[in-house]
Amino acid sequence: VGGLVMRILSAFVVLAASGSVLAPRTVRAADALDLHGNGVDLTVDMHATAPTNAVGSQAALTTQMQTLQTHLQLGMETGANPAAGAGSGWWNSGKVDLGAVWAPTALAKVEVSALNAMRLDYNAADPVWADASQRYNRSRQSEGRAAITLTPASPLNLQVGAAASDSTVESASISGAGAVSSDLLQTQARQMFAVLTWKPLGQIRLEGAGRVESTGVYWSGARAGSYAALDPSVGATVTPWSGASWRFTLERAAEPLTADQFVGYLPAGPEQAPAGLTLQPNREWRYQAAVEQKAGGVDLTASVLHASLQRYAYQAPYGLEPGRTDIGSGERSEVRAGVAAPLSLFGVPQLSVQASGAWRASMAADPLTGTLGRLSGESPYDASLSLTQAARGLNMRWGVTAVAAGPARSYMASQVSSRSATAGLGGFWEYHPGGLTVHLQLDNLLGGDRLQRDVYYAGTRDLNVVDRVDQSRAADRAVRISLIRPL
């Protein structure tokens, strides 16, 4: 894989050097790349966001050379932290994503990809109004994936592959008195998978898949636990007539633990971690049906999902007490619907509308109090409505977007965070002078306010001893300007 990556990067260098010498979008050499189509495409995006004073850039390079396709994405962004409070803060992030697809024959295809992303947040309290404390948060995600797809006969496809991922979340605090505390959560996952696709008829496609995954969790450098999961799935897609698609799936899904689920740990060091801790991922059986219908420029979509929870771990051990990470059985469901249509059907030229919404319900037992209620962090609904109009003679496009989201409550070992419902109205304006794209995005120009209430407990929540209550109101507004230049 390393040799293949080096050859890919060498190809990028050769292509970039060739592009700097040859005339724009023309290559006269035999078997050369077509810069108009699938040969070489380089896109550079630069953007700025207010009021967080964030700036960033992203570049994407894709190539196609007969049987080999490659892609490379680089992105960087930095800005001020609006949640720094009485003080100052900043953050920066970066991402590298590369991959290749090689199809030497019509019977086989090889895919490889790799991703590395990181983010660093820093907050410093004002020494006049606070205790002059400092806090660092660093997160990093690395992923690698390789798969081969075999087509021994036209109705059959078999894909087998493997993937590996490492996720690290590290934080450190320095108090005004100089005391230092730190913690680190690392998750290492290894996965093997296989997918078999069979098309007995032109209108029917059947799928069967299986995934085996083992995960190790490390807390402050010591192994906190591990778990393994075998997740099977079956599905069927039916195309009863042109423009229609019906899909039915049944699968068992295991989602890895996150850093939020470990917020109950005290930063006491690995030697004080609870002994015999059994970690469990979020596991559930999902039953889903989805339909899509396209006709005359109108696109209708709808889906229904029901899940039976086997284990759902949204809180982790607190201090030296044994962990209670299993809430037992539960249920959750979700309904989604969407429509996209050109309003020119109703006499309005070059105007289109797009609307979507999701409604959710759940019932599970709290692992600490035993009370039944909605899952931690779940919002009962969200919706969006967009109106877009294109002025082709002026090379411009604009639109407005209204969004809404319901309230949500997150439960942690010693904290409960409640967020109110929110709604806002934003818009965008886009201009295409030649090959350049200028995009102005206004998020929640009107509205977008959300009230948050945090209740902190002395000990775990089931003791019901409140330490303090914080309230804050924030507006999720942003102004983004992007310059995009495909070459």
Side-chain angles (χ1 to χ4, degrees):
V1 175
L4 178 59
V5 171
M6 292 302 298
R7 288 194 291 271
I8 294 172
L9 295 177
S10 299
F12 287 150
V13 173
V14 172
L15 293 172
S18 301
S20 64
V21 177
L22 299 174
R25 300 181 182 273
T26 60
V27 177
R28 297 183 180 179
D31 298 327
L33 302 175
D34 180 10
L35 299 185
H36 283 289
N38 297 325
V40 177
D41 182 60
L42 174 63
T43 302
V44 179
D45 173 14
M46 295 178 291
H47 58 272
T49 304
T52 59
N53 299 322
V55 294
S57 178
Q58 178 172 298
L61 175 65
T62 60
T63 70
Q64 178 169 329
M65 296 170 285
Q66 297 179 351
T67 61
L68 178 64
Q69 300 176 6
T70 65
H71 75 266
L72 172 64
Q73 281 188 327
L74 303 174
M76 297 181 64
E77 193 171 19
T78 185
N81 194 341
S88 61
W90 52 262
W91 58 269
N92 59 64
S93 63
K95 182 179 73 171
V96 178
D97 183 5
L98 60 88
V101 178
W102 178 46
T105 69
L107 304 179
K109 180 174 66 174
V110 180
E111 302 172 76
V112 294
S113 62
L115 170 69
N116 191 298
M118 62 81 63
R119 178 180 171 115
L120 175 64
D121 288 83
Y122 169 77
N123 288 328
D126 192 328
V128 176
W129 306 104
D131 61 354
S133 62
Q134 303 176 59
R135 184 170 180 84
Y136 300 83
N137 288 285
R138 184 196 306 271
S139 61
R140 183 167 183 170
Q141 181 74 22
S142 300
E143 300 177 1
R145 184 180 184 275
I148 180 170
T149 303
L150 304 176
T151 309
S154 57
L156 287 175
N157 270 339
L158 174 62
Q159 184 185 63
V160 293
S165 65
D166 291 341
S167 176
T168 302
V169 179
E170 182 180 7
S171 63
S173 298
I174 304 175
S175 68
V180 179
S181 62
S182 63
D183 53 63
L184 182 146
L185 172 67
Q186 185 177 13
T187 303
Q188 296 179 347
R190 305 295 181 259
Q191 181 186 118
M192 298 181 65
F193 58 88
V195 181
L196 178 63
T197 304
W198 178 40
K199 294 187 67 176
L201 299 174
Q203 294 80 21
I204 300 177
R205 186 181 68 181
L206 305 177
E207 289 183 6
R211 183 182 65 180
V212 179
E213 182 176 14
S214 64
T215 303
V217 181
Y218 299 83
W219 178 254
S220 295
R223 190 178 182 87
S226 62
Y227 61 86
L230 170 60
D231 299 325
S233 65
V234 293
T237 303
V238 181
T239 307
W241 53 76
S242 176
S245 175
W246 303 347
R247 179 162 177 80
F248 308 91
T249 57
L250 167 62
E251 63 177 343
R252 195 178 87 150
E255 299 179 359
L257 296 173
T258 65
D260 293 339
Q261 295 162 346
F262 286 80
V263 72
Y265 274 112
L266 292 177
E271 67 280 357
Q272 299 185 21
L277 172 62
T278 301
L279 298 174
Q280 296 291 344
N282 301 341
R283 286 182 176 146
E284 62 184 23
W285 279 102
R286 297 175 182 171
Y287 313 85
Q288 187 172 14
V291 297
E292 182 176 2
Q293 177 66 60
K294 297 181 179 181
V298 179
D299 190 357
L300 301 174
T301 58
S303 65
V304 179
L305 180 146
H306 181 78
S308 297
L309 308 178
Q310 292 184 297
R311 291 187 175 94
Y312 211 88
Y314 60 72
Q315 79 96 43
Y318 183 88
L320 305 181
E321 297 181 3
R324 284 171 282 188
T325 61
D326 187 354
I327 67 172
S329 61
E331 306 286 334
R332 74 178 185 93
S333 57
E334 181 179 88
V335 177
R336 289 184 173 272
V339 59
L343 289 184
S344 56
L345 297 176
F346 307 99
V348 182
Q350 300 180 8
L351 187 67
S352 60
V353 59
Q354 183 174 1
S356 64
W359 297 264
R360 306 175 188 89
S362 62
M363 184 65 66
D366 189 295
L368 289 177
T369 64
T371 58
L372 296 177
R374 186 181 296 275
L375 287 174
S376 174
E378 183 182 72
S379 173
Y381 66 86
D382 59 65
S384 67
L385 174 64
S386 299
L387 294 175
T388 304
Q389 187 172 29
R392 298 176 182 174
L394 300 176
N395 296 325
M396 287 191 298
R397 194 169 66 98
W398 55 79
V400 295
T401 300
V403 296
R409 179 173 294 179
S410 299
Y411 300 93
M412 290 158 279
S414 57
Q415 178 184 344
V416 176
S417 297
S418 303
R419 295 177 299 165
S420 66
T422 182
L425 180 66
F428 76 93
W429 174 80
E430 197 172 84
Y431 179 48
H432 303 273
L436 181 67
T437 298
V438 181
H439 185 89
L440 173 64
Q441 181 76 34
L442 305 174
D443 294 338
N444 289 324
L445 190 61
L446 298 175
D449 294 347
R450 188 187 288 271
L451 177 65
Q452 180 164 330
R453 185 173 185 266
D454 297 314
V455 180
Y456 298 91
Y457 294 84
T460 53
R461 289 185 291 108
D462 55 334
L463 301 178
N464 201 26
V465 179
V466 177
D467 181 49
R468 74 179 193 275
V469 178
D470 294 342
Q471 293 191 16
S472 61
R473 179 177 293 274
D476 187 16
R477 297 190 179 97
V479 179
R480 288 190 283 266
I481 301 177
S482 301
L483 301 176
I484 304 172
R485 175 70 179 182
L487 300 177

